[in-house]
Amino acid sequence: MRNIDKLYVAAGFGWLIFAAGFGTWLGASGHFNFSESHAHIGLLGFVASMLFGLVHRGWPELRERMLASVQFAVYEIGTIVLLAGKIMVDATGEPNALLMIGSPIVILGVIAFLWLFLASPAQKRTPELVPAE
């Protein structure tokens, strides 16, 4: 997928907007029991998505593999499911199926990205000469 780096960065900014809105609600309403969910949204959503996007930008050969699209879908869907479960845990104090299903999906998405990165063929990078001005 040629634009997966942009998709990941866009998803990261979407997660950041959600985290900021959620955090604003959290602070304004005094529902501080959701602070862990707020942190998870920022880390799993914003930070991880941005890092994945930046890695794809730095190693463009990763984008050419079919696994890149699958990994994107697995990770982002798993993150949505896990975070919905985490918010429910913070609301009720009880574990739930969403959390238990989302967690291994996110882990699988991270393992798939690691495999994508480690198994990609090494590209011979030749240094570019830039004329002096």
Side-chain angles (χ1 to χ4, degrees), residues 2-108:
R2 301 198 78 160
N3 293 326
I4 197 162
D5 56 337
K6 289 183 180 182
L7 282 175
Y8 258 125
V9 170
F13 279 119
W15 284 115
L16 180 60
I17 292 166
F18 178 58
F22 190 76
T24 301
W25 168 80
L26 182 126
S29 66
H31 287 96
F32 299 113
N33 54 310
F34 291 100
S35 61
E36 289 182 16
S37 291
H38 174 63
H40 278 77
I41 293 166
L43 291 173
L44 290 176
F46 172 65
V47 174
S49 295
M50 292 296 269
L51 285 173
F52 289 153
L54 292 173
V55 169
H56 275 291
R57 178 64 69 132
W59 284 269
E61 61 272 12
L62 300 180
R63 299 180 223 168
E64 305 304 321
R65 300 194 48 210
M66 177 62 177
L67 181 58
S69 301
V70 173
Q71 186 276 330
F72 175 83
V74 167
Y75 182 80
E76 294 296 330
I77 290 168
T79 300
I80 291 167
V81 174
L82 183 146
L83 291 174
K86 179 64 179 132
I87 290 169
M88 290 171 61
V89 166
D90 286 350
T92 66
E94 298 293 323
N96 58 67
L98 289 177
L99 187 67
M100 293 178 197
I101 293 168
S103 297
I105 294 172
V106 167
I107 292 168
L108 183 62

